Structures are given as C-alpha cells and as structure tokens.
Amino acid sequence: MKVWMSLVILSACLIITGCNQEESQQSDKQSEDAETKETQVEPKEEPETDTADRKVSEDGSMIEVEDPERMDVIVNKQRKLPEGYEPPDMTVPEVPFSFEEFHPKKQMREEAAGALEELFQSAEEEGMNLVAASGYRSYERQKTIYENSVAQNGEEYANRYSAKPGTSEHQTGLAMDVTSREMNFRLEQSFIDTEEGKWLEENAHRFGFVIRYPEGKTDITGYAYEPWHLRYLGEELAGKVHEQNKTLEEFFGLYPTNQ
Ligand SMILES: [Zn+2]
C-alpha cells in the first residue's frame, strides 16, 4: 500500500515539477545528467594530456569502447560508446519513479535493475524514501540534446557545455539517477545533505553501485559532483572501488598524471 500511496503523491507532484526538468536541456552547464541539470558548477578544463592510456587522438576525437556490454565498461568524455549502441536485456526496475507513464529512461539492464530493486527495498526498510528519476538514455536522445544545444548556442559553446552523443554513461543501461520526495525529485548537490543522499553514499556499494562522480574529482571524471548518479558495477567491483575511494578512471588506471 505504501508504494501505491507514494506513486499517487509522486504523480501529483510531477504535475508541478516534472515537466520543466525533462526539457531543461537548453540550460548551458554540462553535466552527465544534461536533461535535469540544476546546480552544476562549470567543469574545469581537462588536463591536456595525450597519452596512450587515455587514447585521445590528436584532433581531440575520442576512442570508441570495444566491449560496451561489459559490466565494467568505462564511458567518459574520452571513451564513447559505439554509435547507436543499445544495451541488451533492458527492463524497467520495480521501484518508485518520479513520473508514472512509461518512458525509455525508466529502463536499465536486467542485472542492474534487479540490484536497484534490492537497494530500494533495503533503503525503504531503513525509512528512506528514494525515487528513481532517469536511467537509460539512447544515443539518439543524446544526439538530439547535443544538436539542440548547437542550434541554440553554436558549436563551440555546445562542445564545451553539452556532452557529445555516445559519451553518456546512461547509454550503457547501467546508470540511474536517484532522488527523493524531500528533494522534490530534483537532481541537485544538496541531495547529499539529506538522509537519502547520505544513505546512498554509504550503502550503494553493498548492492553493486557506486557514486560515479564524487565530490572534488571533476578534474578526473570531467563532471561536477553528482550525488544522485548511481552506476552499476556488480557487488565485488563496487565494493573495491568504494573501499579504495577512487573514481573508476583512477581504479582502472585510465587517468594518467603526466608521469
Ligand atoms: Zn546521471
């Protein structure tokens, strides 16, 4: 019953807050969650390294990841998914969402969806009130967002503030943005000041997820702190990453530090 009541309340609130979140793409600050960005700070300049490890080509283009279906695939501004890549075994996790109707962004890959359900159940048992906001984001969707930005702001501006198609981790089907009623379903850094945000930071790894864009790691991840963005890795790997307190780039040795 609790879930149903939440859904009713959620959908009522959605009328008030949901719509402008989805279409706030014209906003100019880049974040991994370009659809719903709110309080992002401007990302710092990326270091101008060009080593074999990062595999950044001379013209600034990026490499394409070779095995996008791996659970430990690393996607970032230097490593993009193949054009049009669609993850297999997509499903909608049975968790409360910030909106009711079907949307492709409700989807995750099966293993990640199952893990998210366990995470939500455990959180609920501890009195948390988590709400899922945005999972899968297709290549086409990213392309539309990027091209809208180019049309509105010009290419140079778009390149600086909008993620290029294929570079969103949401395309892997392994990411989900999570918020709460207390946050009014917004994705903002102040989430970490709430019980739900803190709980996620401390417990997500037990269910195979990490906070992908930690605070103070913008130089490495390319993104400002996103306490709401969960990335599925599987319990073993997520546990190690959490324990070592590293970004995925550091953990996998993809972030050179100029020797
Ligand atoms: Zn996200």
Side-chain angles (χ1 to χ4, degrees):
M1 291 309 285
K2 263 181 157 177
V3 174
W4 278 110
M5 286 175 64
S6 302
L7 283 174
V8 171
I9 297 165
L10 294 188
S11 45
C13 296
L14 178 68
I15 294 166
I16 304 166
T17 62
C19 302
N20 55 7
Q21 285 198 6
E22 169 65 24
E23 297 308 331
S24 64
Q25 309 148 6
Q26 74 282 5
S27 177
D28 60 357
K29 297 290 191 337
Q30 182 174 5
S31 84
E32 165 63 335
D33 302 307
E35 289 183 302
T36 46
K37 55 187 169 284
E38 298 280 349
T39 58
Q40 295 307 290
V41 297
E42 182 175 323
K44 292 174 186 170
E45 290 286 343
E46 290 165 24
E48 290 180 5
T49 51
D50 190 10
T51 70
D53 272 338
R54 272 180 112 193
K55 295 176 183 168
V56 179
S57 65
E58 281 178 18
D59 62 1
S61 64
M62 47 199 122
I63 66 147
E64 195 171 283
V65 300
E66 284 171 9
D67 195 350
E69 292 187 15
R70 287 178 62 119
M71 287 294 159
D72 62 357
V73 64
I74 303 301
V75 177
N76 59 28
K77 290 176 182 174
Q78 289 81 38
R79 300 169 54 84
K80 74 169 193 171
L81 290 162
E83 183 171 347
Y85 169 69
E86 292 178 18
D89 57 61
M90 296 286 274
T91 186
V92 176
E94 291 186 28
V95 300
F97 276 88
S98 56
F99 55 97
E100 202 162 1
E101 72 283 3
F102 175 78
H103 188 288
K105 70 181 179 181
K106 278 191 168 177
Q107 301 173 102
M108 295 185 92
R109 290 185 61 187
E110 206 164 21
E111 185 177 328
L116 191 77
E117 288 169 0
E118 286 179 26
L119 181 151
F120 267 61
Q121 191 173 346
S122 183
E124 190 182 343
E125 284 164 10
E126 294 186 42
M128 303 297 130
N129 207 328
L130 293 174
V131 177
S134 187
Y136 176 57
R137 191 174 305 153
S138 70
Y139 188 94
E140 284 304 313
R141 179 93 181 120
Q142 297 170 65
K143 195 161 171 258
T144 302
I145 294 169
Y146 177 76
E147 286 174 355
N148 284 347
S149 179
V150 171
Q152 287 177 11
N153 308 306
E155 195 171 345
E156 193 184 332
Y157 193 92
N159 284 341
R160 184 169 174 79
Y161 292 115
S162 300
K164 289 186 176 165
T167 64
S168 173
E169 194 176 65
H170 283 272
Q171 194 187 334
T172 63
L174 300 171
M176 180 64 79
D177 298 327
V178 171
T179 177
S180 67
R181 282 179 56 194
E182 185 182 345
M183 290 300 295
N184 247 336
F185 315 128
R186 289 190 306 269
L187 304 178
E188 295 180 352
Q189 290 180 345
S190 60
F191 184 45
I192 196 58
D193 300 324
T194 69
E195 291 297 316
E196 280 79 6
K198 286 180 191 134
W199 189 92
L200 275 183
E201 183 172 74
E202 286 161 18
N203 294 284
H205 69 278
R206 296 199 290 118
F207 304 91
F209 291 90
V210 294
I211 308 293
R212 176 69 172 90
Y213 307 111
E215 188 166 24
K217 302 279 190 174
T218 302
D219 286 346
I220 299 169
T221 65
Y223 291 101
Y225 182 34
E226 295 193 358
W228 61 82
H229 179 108
L230 297 181
R231 158 65 197 271
Y232 183 73
L233 286 170
E235 277 177 43
E236 190 181 341
L237 192 51
K240 285 181 190 166
V241 172
H242 178 81
E243 192 182 328
Q244 294 182 28
N245 196 26
K246 285 180 174 172
T247 63
L248 292 191
E249 282 79 7
E250 293 168 301
F251 188 86
F252 287 108
L254 294 170
Y255 184 73
T257 51
N258 281 334
Q259 277 67 322

